[in-house]
Amino acid sequence: MGRRRKGLKIDGVVLLDKPVGLSSNAALQKVRRALNAQKAGHTGTLDPLASGLLPLCFGDATKFSADLLHAEKEYETTIRFGVKTTTGDAEGEVVSEREPTFDYQTFSEVLENFRGEIEQVPPMYSALKKDGVPLYKLARKGEEIERKPRKVVISTLDVLDFNPPEATLVVRCSKGTYIRVLGEDIGEALGCGAHLKSLRRTAVGDLRISESVTLADFEAMSEEERLKVLLLPDRLLSTLVRIDLDEAQTERFSHGGKVFVDESGPEEKVRVYGIRPDGERFLMGVGRLESNQELIPERLCAFAAE
């Protein structure tokens, strides 16, 4: 007798407003259980001490979750100046204290140095690995290893509130940016040190926190209401150029065949929609559009080949 599959086949995206104190995986499992979904994944972790937007993927949507890993992220963060901690946030132990003496003009001038492309040294308290061991595990043992600087891009760095010894900023940044390190580096540039008091993610790509649902509200919903919260999988791909295929192209593409279209690349990732006999459009998956107008399948939804 074969092993019975658990849960329902649910395809879609839940934009969760993750609460402070919960890991990304714990939040995912709570929502998965509430939906009774078979397959689930998230689009990149959000630290337990951070709140905010955590896109959760179910079923076919998990095939496209990696696309959001490369998307810009936006945060609101409050930095506490004058106090450095072991972790760069409020969870760590205090390692030094120094009275902040800067004014708003000096603060603004320092911020200008952190806009655009900058270099960051990844923190020891991170999930990066050395010989297969996460750095945070080494850090907890008191070990520290050399980390190479990485280039990241800070496209937005705006002041929401300035109330020394704290300031609240809006940060929009590229993949791989550590906001904790940004806060610490700004504090070092001001000569007093700093750590993050709070962190909230407000956007991932073009997905916004205003579209999200809290975990408490989601768990309080009926089964029907929870399903209504689900967004279609193509919501993860809304920044990609859309290509619509005709019936013949749909048939060929659904079986992994390349097709020729009116548009051209070069080598541009696109979202591809097919057409059913009744005229209904549906997401087939992601393809690569070449300069010769050739569209090559990369990842197809399971139902695209049915």
Side-chain angles (χ1 to χ4, degrees), residues 70-85:
H70 303 283
E72 276 196 327
K73 313 292 192 304
E74 185 179 275
Y75 299 89
E76 288 183 12
T77 183
T78 297
I79 304 173
R80 170 63 163 89
F81 294 100
V83 179
K84 294 178 63 175
T85 70

Side-chain angles (χ1 to χ4, degrees), residues 220-240:
M221 291 176 179
S222 66
E223 181 178 344
E224 183 179 358
E225 288 171 330
R226 289 170 186 161
L227 292 176
K228 287 182 179 179
V229 167
L230 280 168
L231 303 178
L232 294 175
D234 62 354
R235 191 67 179 82
L236 299 176
L237 306 173
S238 57
T239 59
L240 300 182

Side-chain angles (χ1 to χ4, degrees), residues 3 39 60 64 66 83 95 121 125 135-136 149 159 199 224 228 231 296 302-303:
R3 185 178 179 182
K39 187 177 181 182
D60 268 335
F64 311 114
V83 179
V95 294
V121 176
Y125 281 88
L135 295 188
Y136 68 82
V159 182
L199 181 64
E224 183 179 358
K228 287 182 179 179
L231 303 178
I296 302 172
F303 52 75

Side-chain angles (χ1 to χ4, degrees), residues 6-40:
K6 295 181 180 180
L8 304 173
K9 187 183 184 309
I10 292 175
D11 300 312
V13 180
V14 172
L15 301 184
L16 183 71
D17 184 349
K18 187 190 81 66
V20 171
L22 199 64
S23 71
S24 295
N25 188 60
L28 172 66
Q29 296 309 321
K30 284 179 178 290
V31 174
R32 185 187 66 80
R33 285 193 295 269
L35 284 171
N36 190 27
Q38 286 177 2
K39 187 177 181 182

